[in-house]
Amino acid sequence: MKLVILLISATALLAANARPDPDFNPIRLRSEGRVGAFVNNCESWRLASEVNNFRSWKVVPEQCVDYVKSYMTVEVGIQTQYEYDVGTVVLEAIEYLNTVSPAKGKNDTWLFDLTDTLLSSLPYYSRPGANYGGNPFNETAFNEYIKEGNSPLVPNVNYLYKDAQEKGFKIVILSGISEDLRPVVEANLNKVGFAKWDKLILKYKPGMPTKDFKASERAQLKKDGFKVIGNVGDQWSDLLTGTNAGKRAFKIPNALYYS
Ligand SMILES: *[C@@H]1O[C@H](CO)[C@@H](O)[C@H](O)[C@H]1NC(C)=O
Ligand SMILES: *[C@@H]1O[C@H](CO)[C@@H](O)[C@H](O)[C@H]1NC(C)=O
Ligand SMILES: [Mg+2]
């Protein structure tokens, strides 16, 4: 009997030691990632970007600008391909949400990125100056777009947001948009139906790269007891860097830019 107990506890100990580091992630971002120089098919280019094989690219390749424009704007059936792709991710996230519940007395959280996760920048990227991501990012012009306060919602993500909220999860929105723009961002969120978040964290450290800012804020959230259960973002840097990146992460498609 004693031997059996000893064996069982030894096995349990081994299993405990073999448990993977929860923050280990085999596709964690590396700064030296592939840029994606070889493009002979735009659909393959988009797929390679979505799954984070092509990284750190600065503009949509010239030969794929029309492809990205169609992907974002041309209806196939009753929606654009982009809308179908976002809808598929949202449905899967809702499936996952249905399997988890917030722990009593804790701050279990669903974390949402803002730009192109809740609020769309497609109207900005449709302008000639941005050319569906075919022109380099212009921060001045982009901030002017945000200041207009008219961003539409990213299709269907509102259902996930509301369901997570109704289930009793904390809702935290984390964004690289400047803290200076808070009033316009809050008004824009409310206007399209996002309301009653628990925290809206905007970048109050202007000098810090957004991915570092987001990683440090997630670590801080963890310290404050906000454990991320679901993490939703359109950039891999929202989902793969730092700690507290969620029990599950959901990548909202984005063919317009990589950051
Ligand atoms: C960036 O946008 C601003 C504001 O719209 C514009 O004045 C400027 O010329 C643009 N810069 C480039 C390099 O296109
Ligand atoms: C949950 O968050 C609130 C507000 O920030 C905080 O006061 C409280 O201590 C947190 N609870 C836990 C269990 O971490
Ligand atoms: Mg984003």
Side-chain angles (χ1 to χ4, degrees), residues 105-107 170 199 223-226:
K106 304 269 186 189
N107 288 325
K170 303 286 177 190
K199 285 177 189 282
K223 277 188 202 146
D224 297 343
F226 287 76

Side-chain angles (χ1 to χ4, degrees), residues 138 140-141 144:
N138 180 335
T140 312
E144 283 168 4

Side-chain angles (χ1 to χ4, degrees), residues 178-243:
S178 168
E179 176 63 38
D180 302 342
L181 299 177
R182 178 174 292 274
V184 70
V185 167
E186 289 188 346
N188 200 158
L189 280 165
N190 284 321
K191 187 161 142 188
V192 298
F194 294 109
K196 294 182 190 146
W197 48 82
D198 294 280
K199 285 177 189 282
L200 168 62
I201 305 169
L202 300 177
K203 198 155 98 178
Y204 55 89
K205 294 174 177 169
M208 195 184 247
T210 294
K211 82 172 172 26
D212 299 341
F213 173 71
K214 288 186 170 180
S216 70
E217 289 303 310
R218 271 192 273 101
Q220 187 59 47
L221 283 168
K222 190 177 182 179
K223 277 188 202 146
D224 297 343
F226 287 76
K227 181 177 169 191
V228 178
I229 305 299
N231 183 359
V232 188
D234 66 289
Q235 296 297 318
W236 281 112
S237 53
D238 299 327
L239 309 175
L240 292 178
T241 50
T243 59

Side-chain angles (χ1 to χ4, degrees), residues 124 129 135-142 144:
Y124 167 76
N135 293 346
F137 183 64
N138 180 335
E139 195 176 0
T140 312
F142 183 74
E144 283 168 4

